């Protein structure tokens, strides 16, 4: 004869509220401890992305000048229509016509790229030019133009456009102030 055993109580399924609260508390402590390093890393990645976008725009503007065989301009622009001084807000690539001038009409704009408000871009040239032009042969006459990329209050990198129209990226000591 077999005797049947009383049924075992079922094991609890799921998690209890106390376990869930303990996990949330541990995660919040870990996140609070790593947040400053995470924000610094995100800012550096954003600055890298902006520097790559600006380098691509400079190369594309030179390519457009060579392909179209005409003067192509590039300048800082917030609204995508007019040239401004602040490269951090964005920039435009446009057909300049026969002279070095701002975009003559909205139809002349080839590309508008938005910037990032948390990353500053400063343009410096010995001639103080706020715009950059590529001739039909791809050259960029005048003094070399240097675009400084600043993440926070530190220098992140530089883009230099030489007289031949070539753009190069420079790595910098990131401990320098911007």
């Amino acid at each position: 004869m077999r005797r049947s055993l009383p049924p075992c109580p079922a094991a609890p399924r799921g998690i209890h509220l106390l376990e869930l609260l303990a996990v949330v508390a541990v995660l919040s402590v870990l996140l609070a401890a790593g947040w400053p390093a995470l924000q610094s890393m995100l800012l550096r990645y954003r600055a890298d992305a902006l520097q790559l976008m600006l380098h691509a725009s400079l190369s594309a503007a030179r390519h457009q000048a060579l392909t179209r065989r005409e003067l192509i301009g590039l300048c800082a622009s917030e609204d995508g229509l007019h040239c401004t001084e602040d490269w951090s807000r964005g920039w435009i690539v446009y057909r300049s016509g026969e002279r070095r001038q701002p975009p003559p009409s909205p139809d002349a704009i080839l590309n508008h790229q938005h910037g990032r408000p948390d990353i500053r871009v400063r343009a410096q040239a010995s001639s103080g030019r706020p715009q950059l032009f590529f001739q039909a042969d791809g050259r960029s006459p005048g003094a070399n133009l240097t675009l400084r990329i600043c993440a926070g209050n530190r220098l992140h990198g530089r883009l230099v456009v030489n007289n031949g129209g070539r753009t190069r990226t420079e790595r910098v000591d990131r401990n320098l102030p911007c």
Side-chain angles (χ1 to χ4, degrees):
M1 281 208 323
R2 290 175 102 183
R3 278 179 35 189
S4 64
L5 297 173
C8 294
R13 294 184 182 172
I15 58 173
H16 291 99
L17 182 60
L18 289 177
E19 292 170 333
L20 181 63
L21 288 175
V23 168
V24 168
V26 168
L27 286 177
S28 62
V29 167
L30 290 175
L31 184 61
W35 187 251
L38 182 64
Q39 280 213 306
S40 173
M41 181 181 69
L42 286 175
L43 185 62
R44 284 193 316 270
Y45 286 150
R46 288 177 184 150
D48 280 340
L50 185 81
Q51 187 170 350
L52 288 172
M53 286 189 321
L54 190 52
H55 192 278
S57 291
L58 290 164
S59 297
R62 182 174 190 256
H63 177 73
Q64 288 291 329
L66 289 167
T67 303
R68 293 175 182 264
R69 306 294 298 162
E70 65 181 341
L71 192 63
I72 299 293
L74 190 129
C75 68
S77 177
E78 284 186 47
D79 60 3
L81 298 172
H82 304 93
C83 290
T84 60
E85 297 289 324
D86 188 8
W87 287 80
S88 304
R89 300 291 182 187
W91 55 89
I92 54 175
V93 176
Y94 61 93
R95 296 171 51 215
S96 182
E98 297 296 320
R99 297 184 353 207
R100 291 177 172 82
Q101 62 186 7
S105 70
D107 296 335
I109 296 172
L110 301 172
N111 186 14
H112 173 229
Q113 190 69 42
H114 294 283
R116 294 199 55 93
D118 55 347
I119 298 169
R120 291 189 325 229
V121 180
R122 291 184 178 172
Q124 292 178 329
S126 58
S127 60
R129 60 182 171 160
Q131 300 165 342
L132 178 67
F133 293 96
F134 291 99
Q135 296 176 343
D137 61 0
R139 291 183 301 131
S140 177
N144 289 352
L145 178 71
T146 302
L147 294 162
R148 297 171 36 156
I149 313 294
C150 302
N153 59 355
R154 298 286 175 208
L155 183 62
H156 183 78
R158 288 187 197 104
L159 291 170
V160 179
V161 182
N162 66 15
N163 294 344
R166 303 268 178 152
T167 304
R168 75 176 185 271
T169 303
E170 290 182 353
R171 296 263 182 207
V172 296
D173 178 14
R174 293 194 177 153
N175 290 326
L176 295 175
C178 195

